[in-house]
């Protein structure tokens, strides 16, 4: 029997035992209660504990199943079960509860879908179970006629005792409207205030290698690379928050034939480059000059090719020249990463040079390559184009380096989840790489999760590909400068320069500038193209970073303005009930508590715009709450006469959830704006 499966099973057994013991205890208490309406706090706590354990148990069970089915009984040795409890997801628990109900009501329908969704309207309860309709279809297929309402009733009758549901109602075609117990909400919110925002419980800790940004040396980083950088960084932050082990890799294009012409040009322009560092200020211009010569001068072209050969043979002078050129680019890239607060480890194409030789060896031995007009190519089943492993001149290609790279990430970097954040145009390239890598035994797709995170192009306000007026690619550094300038103007327009100190103003300016650029990108479904518009992203209404950052700062200032210190709030969190009686308070609480389920969903599809939608919903729901519920009451003289601590706590929980979202999205809120 396999190690990991055994580990899970042991933990599952332990959890099951605990659940049983707790159930006994709860039963005893129920008997003691004897007709009392309100459960004692002790009993509520036990029931909550019981539910938590059951939820973890079901997560463990699912993990066991997946591990077992992954590869017979051969599971992935790299996946390690997660520790810790995490923030419970209401949807997750309801899922467990209704799965049990459906299992008990319809044991002959083991595949019945458990469909739980937050209700769109309080009229329909807090959540809904919408399984009955599709179950009616499934039963019909088995020749059993049952109206969905009847199925819903049977499910309802089988719902096990649990601490979070206060009422179930069947409505419409066969929906089950679920009303939650507010005590449960209290518990969960209190946890946020006391323990901070925790990730949802997760089954397995993965080692994730995320390939993002990945610009090309000597070429300007373009907006496509900006998208990759922003999306990749957020994906890494999300996965780190969830407790995974994340490696952030910059797969820089540093090893192509373009270095031949760059080095040849360097030799001519800076003949003493070996001793004196060449002052290349504008590498892009340098690249263009080299390219013109390469295209028009046969002798130069020949020399360029000879340089590539010498470079790839790692002759010291050529390596030196290559390094000099790479360093110039590296500095320019780093300036952008520093401003956007992004960290990456560089493993460029050159890193795989020796490993490419091994790949070729492996492919030759296995008979995977075939000759095609002097090239060595490799086909994979179901792929329309082959990889070019060796060019007719004997050189390697982008394909060769990505084959070596995928092998490295699994076997040396020990990744069991590989993510590539690259423009959508390269999706076929990666499909072919993965198919070939699987074919020749570099990866086993049942053990390694592979995600290609493509993204659409960035358009200018004219809806055409984003370019400068003269048709050049927009330099990212200029774009960031423009963002800073515009953010500064915006703050002055709002007369913030009159209330903030110069330092505060600068911090706010940077927060708004970089925040709005990141958020504009992340808030669009990454598969779609989007229009880059500073005017739109700097609007202070609607789903923009500016609106959210303002909203957050305002929420944080509520307790400060009520003269309640962070210490007092921390104390209050322990012994003051969070106020949830008002409809708007409860609405806000429910949105906040959806945080873990939103993250779980995003982990599946890696579409971060859903987190933007969520944090925007938090903010708008907060406004509705704040408009109808006084947190602080003042008399006509403007003096504070009453502070509603239970509501301040709700404000605190809102700020914490927003801060957690901001962290993942890379937004840096400031204390004053
Ligand atoms: N440098 C490439 C480009 O600019 C992106 C590299 C993506 N990563 C990879 N492993 N191929 O298009």
């Amino acid at each position: 029997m396999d190690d990991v499966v055994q580990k899970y099973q042991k933990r599952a057994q332990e959890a099951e035992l605990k659940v049983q013991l707790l159930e006994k205890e709860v039963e005893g208490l129920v008997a003691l209660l004897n007709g009392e309406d309100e459960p004692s706090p002790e009993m509520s706590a036990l029931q909550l504990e019981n539910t938590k354990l059951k939820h973890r148990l079901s997560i463990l069970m699912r993990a066991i199943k997946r591990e077992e089915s992954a590869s017979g009984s051969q599971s992935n040795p790299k996946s390690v079960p997660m520790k810790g409890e995490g923030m419970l997801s209401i949807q997750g628990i309801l899922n467990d509860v209704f799965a049990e109900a459906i299992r008990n009501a319809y044991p002959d329908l083991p595949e019945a879908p458990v469909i739980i969704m937050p209700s769109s309207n309080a009229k329909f309860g807090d959540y809904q179970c919408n399984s009955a309709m599709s179950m009616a279809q499934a039963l019909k297929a088995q020749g059993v006629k049952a109206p969905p309402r009847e199925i819903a009733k049977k499910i309802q009758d089988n719902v096990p005792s649990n601490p979070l549901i206060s009422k179930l109602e069947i409505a419409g075609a066969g929906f089950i409207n679920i009303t939650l117990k507010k005590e449960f909400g209290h518990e969960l919110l209190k946890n946020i205030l006391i323990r901070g925002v925790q990730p949802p419980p997760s089954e397995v800790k993965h080692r994730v290698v995320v390939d993002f940004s990945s610009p090309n040396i000597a070429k300007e980083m373009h907006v496509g690379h900006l998208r990759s950088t922003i999306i990749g960084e957020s994906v890494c932050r999300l996965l780190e928050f969830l407790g995974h082990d994340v490696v952030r890799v910059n797969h820089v294009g540093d090893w192509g034939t373009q270095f031949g012409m760059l080095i040849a040009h360097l030799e001519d322009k800076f003949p003493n480059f070996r001793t004196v560092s060449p002052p290349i200020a504008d590498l892009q211009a340098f690249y263009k000059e080299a390219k013109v010569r390469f295209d028009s001068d046969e002798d130069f072209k020949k020399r360029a090719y000879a340089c590539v050969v010498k470079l790839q043979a790692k002759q010291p002078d050529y390596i030196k020249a290559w390094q000099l050129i790479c360093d110039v680019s590296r500095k320019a890239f780093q300036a952008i990463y520093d401003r956007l607060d992004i960290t990456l480890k560089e493993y460029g194409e050159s890193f795989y040079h020796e490993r490419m030789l091994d790949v070729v060896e492996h492919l030759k031995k296995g008979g995977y390559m075939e000759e095609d007009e002097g090239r060595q190519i490799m086909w994979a089943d179901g792929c329309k184009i082959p990889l070019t492993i060796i060019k007719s001149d004997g050189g390697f290609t982008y394909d060769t380096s990505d084959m070596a790279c995928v092998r490295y990430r699994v076997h040396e970097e020990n990744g069991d989840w590989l993510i590539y954040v690259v423009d959508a145009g390269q999706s076929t390239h990666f499909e072919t790489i993965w198919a070939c890598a699987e074919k020749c035994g570099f990866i086993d797709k049942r053990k390694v999760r592979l995600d290609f995170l493509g993204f659409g192009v960035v358009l200018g306000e004219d809806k055409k590909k984003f370019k400068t007026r003269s048709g050049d690619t927009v330099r990212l550094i200029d774009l960031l400068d423009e963002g800073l300038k515009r953010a500064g103007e915006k703050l002055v327009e709002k007369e913030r320069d009159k209330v903030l100190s110069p330092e505060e103003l600068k911090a706010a300016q940077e927060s708004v500038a970089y925040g709005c650029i990141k958020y504009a990108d992340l808030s669009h479904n990454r598969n779609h193209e989007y229009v880059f518009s500073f005017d739109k992203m700097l609007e202070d209404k609607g789903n923009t970073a500016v609106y959210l950052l303002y909203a957050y700062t305002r929420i944080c200032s509520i307790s400060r303005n009520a003269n309640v210190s962070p210490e007092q709030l921390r104390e209050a969190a322990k012994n003051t009930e969070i106020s949830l009686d008002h409809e708007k308070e409860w609405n806000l609480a429910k949105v906040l508590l959806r945080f873990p389920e939103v993250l779980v969903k995003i982990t599946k599809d890696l579409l971060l715009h859903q987190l933007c939608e969520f944090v925007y919903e938090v903010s708008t729901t907060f406004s509705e709450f704040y408009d109808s519920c006084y947190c602080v009451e003042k008399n006509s003289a403007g003096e504070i006469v009453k502070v509603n601590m239970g509501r301040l706590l709700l404000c605190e929980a809102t700020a914490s959830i927003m801060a957690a979202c901001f962290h993942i999205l890379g937004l840096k809120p400031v204390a004053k704006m």
Side-chain angles (χ1 to χ4, degrees):
M1 175 57 94
D2 188 87
D3 241 24
V4 179
V5 175
Q6 232 169 26
K7 226 184 269 174
Y8 283 135
Q9 282 182 337
K10 191 159 164 282
R11 292 179 52 193
Q13 274 163 8
E14 285 166 9
E16 202 161 10
L17 202 69
K18 271 198 203 160
V19 170
Q20 280 167 6
L21 285 174
L22 276 164
E23 265 170 356
K24 285 249 151 53
E25 238 174 295
V26 173
E27 268 167 36
L29 279 164
V30 171
L32 272 178
L33 253 166
N34 265 341
E36 280 178 50
D37 285 343
E38 284 300 306
S40 68
E42 195 190 2
M43 178 167 151
S44 296
L46 276 173
Q47 264 203 330
L48 178 67
E49 187 59 22
N50 187 355
T51 310
K52 275 189 199 160
L53 283 166
K54 267 197 181 169
H55 186 52
R56 273 201 74 65
L57 181 66
S58 74
I59 290 177
L60 284 169
M61 289 304 202
R62 275 201 295 275
I64 293 177
K65 249 203 204 143
R66 226 193 325 275
E67 286 293 326
E68 279 175 345
S69 65
S71 47
S73 183
Q74 216 190 78
S75 84
N76 185 354
K78 282 164 204 147
S79 45
V80 182
M82 281 272 206
K83 289 202 189 73
E85 278 202 353
M87 179 174 168
L88 289 183
S89 129
I90 292 181
Q91 191 177 38
I93 299 175
L94 288 174
N95 224 72
D96 294 345
V97 167
F98 278 85
E100 194 177 330
I102 291 173
R103 244 190 340 264
N104 293 340
Y106 292 92
D108 296 338
L109 277 185
E111 301 290 315
V114 184
I115 308 169
I116 305 288
M117 292 200 285
S119 298
S120 54
N121 187 323
K123 271 205 308 234
F124 307 128
D126 300 320
Y127 276 79
Q128 288 182 309
C129 170
N130 301 343
S131 296
M133 280 66 73
S134 39
M135 285 172 67
Q137 298 287 331
L139 285 168
K140 200 168 157 196
Q142 291 185 0
V144 182
K145 246 177 93 182
R149 279 187 77 95
E150 194 176 283
I151 299 174
K153 180 75 180 68
K154 204 160 159 193
I155 297 175
Q156 182 187 9
D157 292 343
N158 278 280
V159 168
S161 102
N162 66 78
L164 78 163
I165 299 176
S166 81
K167 194 171 77 183
L168 293 175
E169 263 172 342
I170 295 170
F175 303 98
I176 308 176
N177 295 344
I178 307 165
T179 305
L180 299 172
K181 276 193 187 148
K182 290 193 177 160
E183 297 85 70
F184 198 74
H186 275 129
E187 271 305 313
L188 295 182
L189 287 171
K190 190 171 169 182
N191 259 335
I192 296 180
L193 292 172
I194 292 176
R195 293 176 35 214
V197 182
Q198 303 281 323
S202 163
E203 24 206 272
V204 193
K205 179 171 170 165
H206 292 286
R207 184 158 167 87
V208 201
V209 182
V210 188
D211 176 328
F212 69 104
S213 194
S214 308
N216 301 313
I217 298 287
K219 294 188 195 156
E220 199 61 56
M221 232 171 147
H222 53 68
V223 278
H225 294 120
L226 179 68
R227 287 213 79 177
S228 170
T229 307
I230 292 172
I231 298 168
E233 172 70 21
S234 276
V235 165
C236 291
R237 284 168 180 244
L238 168 74
L239 298 174
E240 274 161 356
F241 179 73
L242 294 171
H244 298 295
D245 187 7
V246 178
V247 192
R248 299 134 170 272
V249 178
N250 205 359
H251 190 89
V252 177
D254 65 354
W255 203 240
T257 37
Q258 79 269 27
F259 282 98
M261 64 179 204
L262 287 166
I263 294 173
H265 191 51
L266 183 77
E267 285 178 328
D268 295 345
K269 273 201 97 167
F270 304 104
N272 55 352
F273 73 88
R274 288 167 195 84
T275 46
V276 183
S277 219
I280 311 176
D282 187 344
L283 194 54
Q284 204 181 18
F286 186 85
Y287 183 93
K288 278 188 190 156
E289 287 165 21
K291 181 87 171 89
V292 169
R293 293 183 69 191
F294 185 82
D295 291 338
S296 60
D297 177 345
E298 268 315 304
D299 283 344
F300 182 81
K301 197 172 196 162
K302 266 195 206 125
R303 248 181 67 216
Y305 279 127
C307 286
V308 178
V309 175
K310 288 179 206 158
L311 172 65
Q312 305 220 327
K314 303 218 165 168
Q315 282 193 19
D317 272 356
Y318 291 83
I319 287 287
K320 165 105 195 185
W322 167 76
Q323 267 164 352
L324 286 170
I325 294 167
C326 290
D327 280 342
V328 178
S329 272
R330 218 167 265 140
K331 277 201 195 99
F333 299 154
Q334 197 53 46
I336 290 178
Y337 298 143
D338 286 346
R339 285 166 74 163
L340 295 176
D341 191 21
I342 279 160
T343 35
L344 276 155
K345 225 157 101 185
E346 189 180 313
Y347 286 101
E349 288 172 19
S350 63
F351 174 79
Y352 300 100
H353 185 68
E354 275 75 29
R355 289 177 177 82
M356 287 194 258
L357 301 171
D358 293 344
V359 165
V360 168
E361 184 75 5
H362 178 90
L363 297 182
K364 263 192 195 141
K365 261 202 201 131
Y368 294 110
M369 294 193 290
E370 59 187 78
E371 138 108 48
D372 174 72
E373 295 180 1
R375 309 178 300 154
Q376 290 292 323
I377 60 167
M378 177 175 178
W379 285 97
D381 301 335
C383 293
K384 287 183 207 78
I385 46 161
L387 296 180
T388 300
I389 303 292
I390 308 175
K391 289 190 293 186
S392 48
D393 67 2
F396 297 152
T397 70
Y398 191 51
D399 294 348
T400 329
S401 66
D402 263 323
M403 283 294 275
C405 164
V406 77
R407 186 190 206 188
Y408 171 80
R409 288 180 186 171
V410 175
H411 296 280
E412 294 184 67
E413 195 67 82
N414 285 321
D416 62 350
W417 185 357
L418 311 186
I419 298 179
Y420 294 79
V421 191
V422 189
D423 67 273
Q426 296 195 31
S427 68
T428 316
H429 166 74
F430 286 103
E431 269 161 36
T432 319
I433 290 285
W434 296 344
C436 286
E438 171 120 71
K439 181 174 175 182
C440 72
F442 289 170
I443 52 171
D444 178 346
K445 283 190 191 159
R446 290 167 308 177
K447 295 184 190 169
V448 179
R449 174 171 168 183
L450 296 164
D451 280 292
F452 173 74
L453 299 204
F455 48 82
V457 287
V458 183
L459 304 177
E461 291 190 71
D462 55 1
K463 302 268 164 70
K464 293 201 189 104
K465 213 169 163 182
F466 196 52
K467 288 264 157 79
T468 61
R469 277 206 199 98
S470 57
D472 283 334
T473 42
V474 181
R475 292 182 359 132
L476 290 194
I477 213 81
D478 296 339
L479 199 73
L480 299 186
D481 283 340
E482 168 89 6
L484 271 183
K485 186 176 137 256
R486 300 269 208 127
E489 287 163 5
K490 185 90 191 174
L491 289 162
V492 171
E493 182 191 309
K494 298 189 126 224
E495 304 197 327
R496 305 311 294 161
D497 52 331
K498 303 206 170 107
V499 269
L500 301 180
S501 72
E503 292 77 36
E504 286 168 341
L505 192 67
K506 183 166 176 280
Q509 181 185 14
E510 287 177 1
S511 160
V512 168
Y514 304 141
C516 80
I517 293 174
K518 290 179 187 175
Y519 195 82
D521 193 316
L522 294 169
S523 58
H524 290 89
N525 181 325
R526 65 173 157 75
N527 291 312
H528 303 167
E529 45 190 34
Y530 87 94
V531 175
F532 193 98
S533 155
F534 276 121
D535 288 337
K536 279 224 181 71
M537 59 179 88
L538 283 167
E539 264 167 27
D540 49 18
K541 285 186 199 71
N543 191 3
T544 66
V546 182
Y547 164 76
L548 290 166
L549 289 165
Y550 267 119
Y552 176 81
T553 317
R554 225 173 289 134
I555 298 172
C556 292
S557 69
I558 297 171
S559 353
R560 201 173 52 227
N561 294 340
N563 298 326
V564 177
S565 68
E567 292 72 42
Q568 282 169 306
L569 278 171
R570 260 199 296 281
E571 244 344 274
K574 290 183 209 145
N575 42 43
T576 309
E577 277 269 280
I578 298 164
S579 187
L580 294 184
D581 295 329
H582 194 286
E583 180 202 343
K584 302 284 182 193
E585 294 169 338
W586 179 232
N587 281 348
L588 175 58
K590 279 189 294 184
V591 175
L592 297 178
L593 295 178
R594 264 180 30 224
F595 179 64
E597 66 202 43
V598 170
L599 293 193
V600 168
K601 167 93 190 351
I602 299 175
T603 316
K604 290 187 185 131
D605 54 27
L606 300 172
L607 290 169
L608 284 155
H609 69 279
Q610 300 168 104
L611 189 62
C612 300
E613 280 164 9
F614 171 73
V615 69
Y616 181 58
E617 192 180 344
V618 168
S619 182
T620 51
T621 319
F622 179 84
S623 296
E624 284 179 26
F625 148 77
Y626 197 65
D627 286 346
S628 358
C629 302
Y630 283 116
C631 294
V632 178
E633 283 175 46
K634 293 183 179 169
N635 62 16
S636 51
E639 294 153 341
I640 296 172
V641 288
K642 194 179 151 205
V643 171
N644 187 326
M645 204 48 134
R647 285 184 178 162
L648 285 190
L649 291 177
L650 194 51
C651 298
E652 267 309 287
T654 307
S656 306
I657 293 283
M658 286 183 81
C661 295
F662 285 173
H663 172 74
I664 295 171
L665 297 169
L667 302 194
K668 273 193 183 160
V670 283
K672 281 192 188 164
M673 251 177 94

